[in-house]
Every structure is written in C-alpha cells, then in structure tokens.
Amino acid sequence: MKRFYITTPIYYVNDKPHIGHAYTSIASDALARFKRLDGYNVKFLTGTDEHGLKIERAAQSAGQNPQDFVDQVSENFRDLSNVLNLSNDDFIRTTEPRHEKAVIELWNRLVQNDEIYLGKYSGWYAVSDEEFISEKDIKEVDGVKVAPSGSVVEWHEEESYFFRLSAYQEKLLSFYENYPSFIGPDSRRNEVISLVKNGLQDLSISRVSFDWGIKVPNDPKHIIYVWLDALTNYISAIAEDDFEFENYWANSFHIIGKDILKFHAIYWPAFLFAADVQPPKRVFAHGWWTNNGEKISKSKGNVIDPIEITKEYGIDAFRYFLLREVTFGQDGDFSEEALIRRYNTELANDLGNLLQRCSALILKYRDGFIPNSKVVPSGFLTNIRHEIDQQNIGKVLDILAHEINRTNKYFSSAEPWALLKSNDRRDQSEADYVLAQTIDIIKCCALVLQAFIPESAGKILDYLGVSERTFDGWYASVGTNEIGKPEPIFPKIA
Ligand code: MSP
C-alpha cells in the first residue's frame, strides 16, 4: 500500500491552543483524510514540544515543577483532536522515552560523524523563539533589544557544543536545486535559498545554563538544544520499526507555519545529512492569520480561541472557513462576520439548499428513490488529486464551490418541479435525469468534502444512502440510493 506520512509542528506547551495551532492541525488533517480516502496507508502525527528554557520558565511562573506543568498543559493539545475533529494516528510528546531515545541516537551519530565540537557561545538569544540571533539582526524598540520576530533577546554566554552547519551551505543549495519540490509553496523556496546563500554559521546545539531538557550523552551538564530535540520528533514517532520508517519517511510531509521554515528547511536537512538520513520529502509553510486586520498577540488580548469558536459556530464551519478563505500558503484575516458569510453562502445556501430542494422532489415524486444516472463529472477527481499533491487546499474547495454553484444554476434552469408535474413520458425521464445528475454531483462533492468537513459530509452521504465512502467507490455509488431521514446539515447562522 502507498504510504503517506504527514506531521504538524509539535506545539509549545507554554500556551493554550490558539488559531495558529488549530490551523496547521486542521490543514494537515484534511490532507491526511484525503489520502486515506484515496487508498493510502496514512500516518498523521501531531504532539507537543515540552523542553527548553521557555517551558522551564513558564513552569516556574506557574509555580509548578516542569514535569507536572507539561503533563497538564499537553493535555489541552491532546484534547484538540476532539475539539477540531482531528484524525491523528499518534500524539508525540518530547518527554516520552521513545523520543529521548531517538534524540540520543541522532546526537551519537552526529558525534560519530565528527559533526559536533565543544566551544563557547556568546551572543543573543530569543527565549520565546528558542533561537540564537546574530548581532546584525538585532533591533532596538523602546530601548529593548529584539529579534526580527519582535521577541525580546537576552545575552547568553556559556560553554556549548556546536554543529558544523557552515559546512552544509553547498550541499543544501544543490539539494534545493535538485529537489525543487522540497519547499512549498514555491515562493518560500527563494527565501530559504537566499538565507543559505548569505552564509551559514556553526550552530550552538547545547546549553548549560538550565536544566529542563534531554542531557547530552556523556556530558550531562549540557542540555540538547530544544530545536534539535523537537525536530527529531518526526523520526521518533516512526523509528520503532525499520520497515515502517523507510516507507513513511520516503513519503513524509511537514506542514508548518512560515515563521519556523528556517528550522525545517535549513537546520533539519543539515542535521539529517550529517546523520546519513535523507531529508523529508516536502516542507510546506502556511501563512499567518490576523484578527480583524490586526496582528494577533497575547498583549493585545485578541487571541482567537478555537474552543470558543467551534462552540459558537460548530467544528465544520470553522474548518471550512480556515481552509476555504485563503490560498494555502498565504496570510489570511479572521473575522466572525467573514466566517458566517462563507458558511451561509456556500454551505447553508448553495450546498444545503440544493440538497434540500432536490431531495424534496425525490421524496415527493419518486418515493425517496434516487433515479439512476451515474453522471460523474469527468476529470474532477484527477484535478483535485493534482491540487492536493501540491497542498493547494483552498483550490480544492474552490473547485467544489464552483461545481455546486454550477449545479444550482443547472437545477434552477432545468425546472425539474415543472417536468415532474407533466404527463409526458419524456418530461418524466428528463426530470429523472436532472434529479440524478444533481444528486450525483452532490455525492461526488460530499465524498471529497469528507476530508475537509468530515462530520457534515458524512451526514450528506448518510442521507443519500451512500455506503462506499472511499474514492475507490467513486463510480460505484454503492448503497441504497434511497433518501434517508432528513436532518438539518447546515443550519443557517443568524
Ligand atoms: N515548538 C515549535 C515547533 C517545533 S516543530 C519541530 C513551535 N511551536 S508553537 O506552538 O509556537 O507553534 C506554533 C505554530 O502555530 C507554528 O506553525 C506557527 O506558524 C503557527 N502560528 C502561530 N500563530 C499563528 C497565526 N496567527 N496564524 C497562523 N499560524 C500561526 O513553533
């Protein structure tokens, strides 16, 4: 069976889940679900990033020891699977033994391959980003030194192990050239290439000034740099079985936000080259959401809580909005008005009403049995697969919305309600054709929508008596073909 391995970033546990976490997870979930429906053996991984200075300090300010703190907060992220209807197959925590084992093994390989040396780090560190910042990138805002991300930096000076990142400039550049699909979307590739062309410095990969993390083998006063630790999660979750590892890793996709592209597209492949492991297949960086046009931040108090939103509008309305509103890869603006507009226009009106109008006629004139037609839009699934393989999630929903819109127009202008009242045999068979065609298109759309709005799409397929739900059954229309008990699938949001 073809394999597909998809991962979200592992989330820092200093914070509760917000729209950024929800977005990456929902997008990854849609891709995972699509591939499962399309017959792949899928592993969808998410989890939590629990080590490092930032978490140690968060635990301190919560007055808890770090272990208790992370045990507690990581549960909020585990709960996201229910809150957002995620289909992850695994949830990894960097405090788990299986993870520590993989990190130690990676470290040992780097040592064996002479990729690590002991030195001294002195420079700026942004705790909130867990990132070293070079002097030339530091700015001063209101007398405070900050990183380009806006995070406050501190001066750190300590003994540290270094990774020979500077030796990987050429290798990385030729890798990006030979594997142009490694970084998506395309526009992000050039960004990474120019960063690498600007030159790479050796990277500090251990710390002695705090305690909360994985200890360096044979030198336990050193704690392994939290990004080296965290990135390894993608391997730890599949490392237990060699066969699984080979097959998943060769088809691995990391979905991340644009702010952490450097770690995934520069450091990560360099660490892997140094450890004689192939880089993942693709890293795709999505954009950032603003809230009503404003940058989201805790200090502004405009953080969007996915639990609140899904309580108010339902999981599928939230999922649909996030995936439909922007081209995946670009930034987007969140507002409740825009969410309501999208949902009401495309789900409640276009799709919901069409389904309702068409099935009402079938119930009234055909005893609830859907006339047979099997008119499947040609090339539809092929186009959609093509978009999915480039993570063009928004484009897929665009195709579906157009298809439904087109079918609405067709249905209205064919006036099947008038044909059904006629005594002419030809009118009756014409009506059958219109009803069957309309339902078939809704079925096809619902089959695909299972990936994006799984609960509502499932209800549509239940209602239409479709029992074969994978794309294998695309032309089969297996099921009773009888309209079921009506239930409101997309109640309009007032
Ligand atoms: N722990 C690291 C990732 C390690 S992966 C080996 C991390 N964690 S995080 O909790 O900060 O992750 C946040 C994720 O949410 C990132 O992918 C980030 O891009 C995303 N977002 C945070 N705020 C966001 C928005 N306002 N909009 C969209 N996504 C944003 O980074």
Side-chain angles (χ1 to χ4, degrees), residues 9-12 18-21 23-24 49 227 230-231 233-234 256-260 264 286-289 296:
I10 48 171
Y11 303 122
Y12 286 130
H18 56 63
I19 191 171
H21 308 118
Y23 185 47
T24 326
D49 188 351
W227 269 100
L231 287 161
N233 91 87
Y234 302 131
I256 57 166
K258 62 181 183 180
D259 53 317
I260 54 176
H264 285 80
H286 64 67
W288 271 49
W289 289 92
I296 299 176

Side-chain angles (χ1 to χ4, degrees), residues 131-200:
E131 185 180 358
F132 304 94
I133 311 290
S134 58
E135 187 78 48
K136 66 176 181 359
D137 293 327
I138 304 281
K139 273 191 291 218
E140 234 178 87
V141 177
D142 302 331
V144 179
K145 288 194 169 5
V146 297
S149 67
S151 305
V152 175
V153 294
E154 305 172 355
W155 186 259
H156 284 213
E157 215 173 293
E158 59 190 294
E159 183 182 282
S160 169
Y161 285 96
F162 283 82
F163 169 68
R164 299 185 196 282
L165 181 63
S166 60
Y168 282 90
Q169 183 172 12
E170 287 315 312
K171 182 142 189 173
L172 285 168
L173 289 171
S174 65
F175 173 63
Y176 304 140
E177 192 168 322
N178 296 334
Y179 296 90
S181 63
F182 174 63
I183 298 167
D186 285 346
S187 54
R188 297 267 167 227
R189 251 186 90 221
N190 297 331
E191 227 173 77
V192 171
I193 291 174
S194 65
L195 270 178
V196 175
K197 279 192 172 151
N198 276 340
L200 297 173

Side-chain angles (χ1 to χ4, degrees), residues 74-89:
S74 72
E75 279 306 306
N76 298 338
F77 286 91
R78 211 183 266 276
D79 290 348
L80 265 193
S81 300
N82 290 327
V83 173
L84 303 171
N85 197 2
L86 306 176
S87 64
N88 56 296
D89 304 283

Side-chain angles (χ1 to χ4, degrees), residues 281-335:
K281 189 155 180 183
R282 183 161 161 90
V283 172
F284 186 96
H286 64 67
W288 271 49
W289 289 92
T290 47
N291 183 356
N292 277 297
E294 287 205 37
K295 191 167 184 251
I296 299 176
S297 77
K298 269 201 267 185
S299 53
K300 281 208 183 97
N302 63 350
V303 174
I304 298 162
D305 180 348
I307 301 178
E308 298 286 310
I309 299 289
T310 51
K311 255 194 213 142
E312 178 81 23
Y313 302 107
I315 297 176
D316 282 349
F318 185 52
R319 290 177 60 114
Y320 188 77
F321 175 77
L322 291 183
L323 300 178
R324 167 78 171 119
E325 190 71 4
V326 299
T327 301
F328 198 47
Q330 311 208 327
D331 295 338
D333 184 43
F334 182 89
S335 74

